[in-house]
Amino acid sequence: MRPFLLYHWSPIANRPGILRHGLRTHRPARGVDWRAPYICLSRSPSLAWNLSVARSPFSGEWDLWMVWSNHLAGLKVMVRRYNVEPEYRVFERIRKRLVWHVGTRTFRKRLPGWKA
């Protein structure tokens, strides 16, 4: 299979740690007392956004990170399906040299009852 891109969103406050160590498991999640034993990756930025940031109760800036699928070779990876799209859960650190910063986006939590 040809390599493909995978994406991960993280709060901008995590950027220094990601630039220093890469993407790591068991890092504290913002505002909750839970540490994921895996790193979630998706094949599109929008799916990654919907599986993570869109569920967040916090407004703020988020960084988009990219990893090539072939860089996960040798790591423990589990694939879960959401409807048709897969989510990749990586149970080991993804080294900093394999992770690319794509950009930053601002998330504003909408108030209940808000309509577009």
Side-chain angles (χ1 to χ4, degrees), residues 29-99:
R30 183 176 177 197
V32 294
D33 189 25
W34 183 71
R35 294 171 185 250
Y38 47 79
I39 301 155
C40 292
L41 300 165
S42 299
R43 289 187 81 161
S44 74
S46 59
L47 179 60
W49 183 266
N50 286 328
L51 292 174
S52 58
V53 184
R55 299 170 189 263
S56 172
F58 302 104
S59 295
E61 291 187 309
W62 293 74
D63 284 332
L64 179 61
W65 300 90
M66 178 193 84
V67 177
W68 282 99
S69 63
N70 60 325
H71 292 160
L72 303 180
L75 299 180
K76 183 179 177 187
V77 179
M78 180 179 82
V79 180
R80 290 190 56 191
R81 296 237 175 240
Y82 287 95
N83 296 327
V84 180
E85 296 293 326
E87 173 196 41
Y88 298 80
R89 292 184 175 184
V90 181
F91 291 84
E92 300 175 50
R93 175 175 73 127
I94 302 172
R95 298 187 177 279
K96 67 180 179 180
R97 72 176 185 270
L98 304 176
V99 179

Side-chain angles (χ1 to χ4, degrees), residues 9-15 30 49 53 58-64 103-108:
W9 287 96
S10 179
I12 197 170
N14 297 341
R15 186 186 299 172
R30 183 176 177 197
W49 183 266
V53 184
F58 302 104
S59 295
E61 291 187 309
W62 293 74
D63 284 332
L64 179 61
T104 304
R105 182 176 177 185
T106 301
F107 173 69
R108 300 213 193 301

